Amino acid sequence: MPYFVYAPYRFLVQLKYFPLAYLMLRILRAYPWQVMQNVPRGLNNHPDVKGKHYGWFEFPNPADADQQLPLVFAHHLRTEWWSRRMAPRAKPSLKADIETLWFAGDPRFIGLVAAPTRRGTAPRRLHVLEQHMHVRSGWRFADWGATPDDIERGRRAGVHPLQP
């Protein structure tokens, strides 16, 4: 009897993940994976990002390597694994899981972050990060060095910029 109650619930929950999986596929078609080491991160509110978010990573701007742009976990679903490793009091063994990150995307628009497998040969624990700075801060994509080709590539990845 419990299966007949749980199965419909689980089916409805899984339907919510299909659009997210499709977005991940679009990002991977537009951007290749990059392996990055010791990416700045935090669970608190980032000073440059307004609004509600559940953690952030800072990645270098592709147009200006000296500028760091934050991408945030905008939705709290499925972020528990990440937040346990990003917490200030996390054990070193947990923090070591995300010292190396797989990243696909453009920090000016959107990104897909993943932790490496134990052997470090493939990504796992994929999660979409979003750019929220441009909405309320007055920044424009052109201020970050985004060309029309970059914006078009972002659109192919599923981003619909409010400020071209």
Side-chain angles (χ1 to χ4, degrees):
M1 189 65 180
Y3 176 76
F4 293 110
V5 173
Y6 180 71
Y9 162 76
R10 194 67 200 161
F11 175 75
L12 292 174
V13 169
Q14 282 303 114
L15 285 178
K16 183 170 177 78
Y17 296 126
F18 285 122
L20 187 61
Y22 182 65
L23 178 61
M24 289 180 189
L25 182 63
R26 288 181 70 176
I27 292 170
L28 288 174
R29 284 183 180 163
Y31 299 102
W33 282 116
Q34 303 172 34
V35 178
M36 300 184 157
Q37 300 286 332
N38 299 321
V39 176
R41 60 186 176 263
L43 282 179
N44 55 351
N45 287 336
H46 193 278
D48 294 334
V49 181
K50 299 206 180 0
K52 190 173 185 180
H53 58 279
Y54 302 93
W56 51 269
F57 284 101
E58 279 188 347
F59 297 99
N61 183 346
D64 180 11
D66 295 334
Q67 184 182 25
Q68 296 284 329
L69 298 176
L71 288 175
V72 300
F73 290 96
H75 303 292
H76 70 298
L77 295 175
R78 301 179 79 168
T79 60
E80 182 180 339
W81 187 90
W82 289 96
S83 58
R84 280 187 306 191
R85 281 144 184 86
M86 293 169 64
R89 294 184 179 176
K91 296 179 183 177
S93 60
L94 290 178
K95 287 184 178 185
D97 289 344
I98 60 172
E99 284 180 6
T100 301
L101 287 179
W102 289 60
F103 176 73
D106 188 335
R108 297 171 288 191
F109 308 113
I110 195 166
L112 180 63
V113 69
T117 58
R118 292 188 193 271
R119 294 184 184 188
T121 58
R124 67 183 179 120
R125 304 277 183 180
L126 280 68
H127 198 84
V128 174
L129 300 175
E130 299 173 357
Q131 178 57 258
H132 282 260
M133 270 180 46
H134 74 283
V135 176
R136 295 184 185 97
S137 67
W139 281 88
R140 298 179 63 83
F141 292 126
D143 296 337
W144 292 334
T147 64
D149 292 336
D150 294 333
I151 293 171
E152 182 58 35
R153 191 175 185 191
R155 283 192 177 115
R156 285 194 312 265
V159 176
H160 302 290
L162 298 174
Q163 301 174 4

